[in-house]
Amino acid sequence: QVQLVESGGGLVQTGGSLRLSCAASARTFSRHTMAWFRQAPGKEREFVAAISVSYSAYYAASVKDRLSISRLNAKNTVYLQMNSLKPEDTAVYYCAAKETGYSSGNAYYTGTNEYTYWGQGTQVTVSS
């Protein structure tokens, strides 16, 4: 069982920045593909970014060039640096994990049903 705890959300103005963190309880964190999803009111949860066990990063088209995902295995933590925020980025942001093993290399996943573990979410609100 892996527990994920997100932090770093809040209220920010358009054009501002936030850094989200997700701390994982797994001792095998380095064997997990990690991802961020978000869910706005009345909408389905959507993929934002993922990072593979080999540190390759992947992004949704809507956030590419503004958001950056990274991981620090020594701290069992994945980050989402969010820059140039827009009101449409307002959502609850969720961290997700899938144990894929060291041999998975650059593999990543964008579907909500592909991830095993989820955090409780952190609210990000961007005011116009």
Side-chain angles (χ1 to χ4, degrees):
Q1 190 73 13
V2 176
Q3 292 185 327
L4 303 173
V5 179
E6 301 99 332
S7 61
L11 173 64
V12 64
Q13 292 186 332
T14 296
S17 297
L18 283 174
R19 188 176 82 154
L20 307 183
S21 299
C22 171
S25 64
R27 289 181 293 175
T28 57
F29 176 78
S30 62
R31 298 175 54 179
H32 287 72
T33 295
M34 303 298 296
W36 288 95
F37 288 76
R38 67 186 181 187
Q39 187 167 19
K43 295 188 176 182
E44 293 187 353
R45 194 170 298 188
E46 64 175 2
F47 171 78
V48 174
I51 186 163
S52 72
V53 297
S54 62
Y55 293 84
S56 294
Y58 305 90
Y59 300 94
S62 60
V63 306
K64 191 175 175 61
D65 299 328
R66 297 189 299 116
L67 274 59
S68 176
I69 188 171
S70 61
R71 64 190 300 161
L72 185 57
N73 289 347
K75 292 191 174 183
N76 284 7
T77 301
V78 62
Y79 303 97
L80 186 67
Q81 178 66 43
M82 308 169 70
N83 299 324
S84 302
L85 284 164
K86 305 175 181 180
E88 50 263 44
D89 294 317
T90 295
V92 177
Y93 283 72
Y94 296 90
C95 177
K98 176 183 176 67
E99 184 167 7
T100 52
Y102 296 123
S103 62
S104 62
N106 296 331
Y108 72 102
Y109 309 88
T110 62
T112 56
N113 61 347
E114 296 178 293
Y115 288 86
T116 310
Y117 305 104
W118 292 85
Q120 82 289 349
T122 185
Q123 176 71 46
V124 171
T125 303
V126 184
S127 64
S128 57

